Amino acid sequence: MSNGDTMKRKLSGENGEEATEPAIKSSKTHIQCPYLDTINRHVLDFDFEKLCSVSLTRINVYACLVCGKYFQGRGTNTHAYTHSVAESHHVFLNLHTLKFYCLPDNYEVIDSSLNDIKYVLNPIFTPEQIKQLDQNIKMSRAIDGTMYMPGIVGLNNIKANDYCNVILQCLAQVRPLRNYFLREENYADVKRPPGDSSFLLVQRFGELLRKLWNPRAFKAHVSPHEMLQAVVLWSKKRFQFIKQSDPIDFLSWFLNSLHMALNGTKKPNSSIIYKSFLGHMRIYTRKLPPPDADEAANVDLNSEEYNEMITESPFLYLTCDLPPTPLFTDEFRENIIPQVNLYQLLSKFNGQASKEYKTYKENFLKRFEITQLPPYLILYIKRFTKNTFFVEKNPTVVNFPVKNVDFGDILTPEIKAKHNGKTIYELVGNIVHDGTPEKGTYRAHVLHTPTQQWYEMQDLHVTSILPQMITLTEAYIQVYELKQD
């Protein structure tokens, strides 16, 4: 008998029919798993880095659905296999392929009751669901019974990353940005040069937004662990989660890094970042004669050096300068906290007001004129000044309206006409600094658009707040959204 015949006999069934290999495999996949009731959804947390808890490898990692720990491999002598035998934990999920397996018997489990676990690990949004987000006024219920509003979810503070959390919370409310990142196919085809992995930042930000807006989450908060690790890596440890940094530095670096990772160029619509935040201004600069009288006498003010120069400049945020705090107390021996109107700060950009800027040896007079307002306008209110010895904080309270802020008032009539009357903005995010410059903390106020309810977010704490209370805080960074109607 030839070898071929023996193979045929081995593969033939009891009735003499030929059975093919796939048929044998498929009958194996549909074994009913008797251990599904041992799965404990309360301990499942997919926010942390996907690495084996024993060998710390990132390759082929499985989550034990009974205790929530991560282990490598599925074959005999692997950490997951050993764990399943030693602890009698049998149901595992491959964190990469999203397939479920029963160990140590090593067969795939196919059961629709596990879809909720798959969805928590990788939430997916259809265009219809994304449209619904702006009408959704329904609270969701986490597994422990906590009620939460998708998109208004606390972020874990690992050690000192509240400066990152407040920025991420505000960016999660910027609708075009959110809608773009909720659908992975929008940026799946972005090609990066070989060896460049800054694209990880884009993927991690997308994952974080999908978790923040997940209506079927197991818990009412998210840990931004993987997102922050990508930040530490790509900022070359400039931003860390073990020491406090300045949110405006982080925001500036983060927006530019995302723009570059999405292959953005200098063109206005080259990435979703520029489409959302990019505005344009004109800067008029004039050099001033030296303050020293003897040197000033030798200066020819009509020379080219002292002519006004005009430069066009794009911006992702506007820096507003606070008036200096009064040095002296009033007659009651008390320091009154000074107040200033938002429009007063914005007058810096009306093209009329000049301000002196000193460099090491020269002085310049500058005027700023906004030529194009972006769909989302970020204002940075400069509260900290560094002098030789220490950092000083300006406690001036800025009075600002939460609704119907007209930025058209600072535009010239020609530029205002170009905007077709679309210059009315509404506040959607507000970041506040509390405490001293060295030891302060940050919290964010965000607007939930469908319910028009404001929420205060300080790491894991999420509470509703009255809009009148927001205007009394020491605002530091604000995000305004252009009203479309």
Side-chain angles (χ1 to χ4, degrees), residues 302-315:
N302 296 326
S303 70
E304 211 169 284
E305 194 183 351
Y306 290 95
N307 288 352
E308 190 164 64
M309 281 165 58
I310 302 174
T311 47
E312 298 285 338
S313 171
F315 65 86

Side-chain angles (χ1 to χ4, degrees), residues 2 8 23 55 71 75 88 93 132 155 189 193 213 220 261 272 340 354 386 406-407 448 454 456 471-472 475 477:
S2 72
K8 256 189 189 166
S55 63
F71 297 99
S88 294
L93 164 63
Q132 287 303 308
L155 278 175
D189 299 332
W213 286 92
I272 188 67
V340 62
S354 302
K386 284 191 177 80
D406 191 356
F407 284 93
H448 183 246
W454 279 91
E456 179 172 277
T471 56
L472 304 174
I477 298 170

Side-chain angles (χ1 to χ4, degrees), residues 70-85:
Y70 296 170
F71 297 99
Q72 186 196 20
R74 207 170 77 226
T76 46
N77 298 335
T78 58
H79 297 299
Y81 184 91
T82 314
H83 175 75
S84 75
V85 175

Side-chain angles (χ1 to χ4, degrees), residues 169-170 173 377 400 426-431 444-447 454 470 477-481:
Q169 290 284 21
C170 285
Q173 304 303 321
L377 185 64
F400 56 89
E426 299 208 333
L427 188 69
V428 291
N430 181 52
I431 292 172
H445 300 123
V446 298
L447 174 67
W454 279 91
I470 296 170
I477 298 170
Q478 298 187 316
V479 184
Y480 287 89
E481 177 185 35

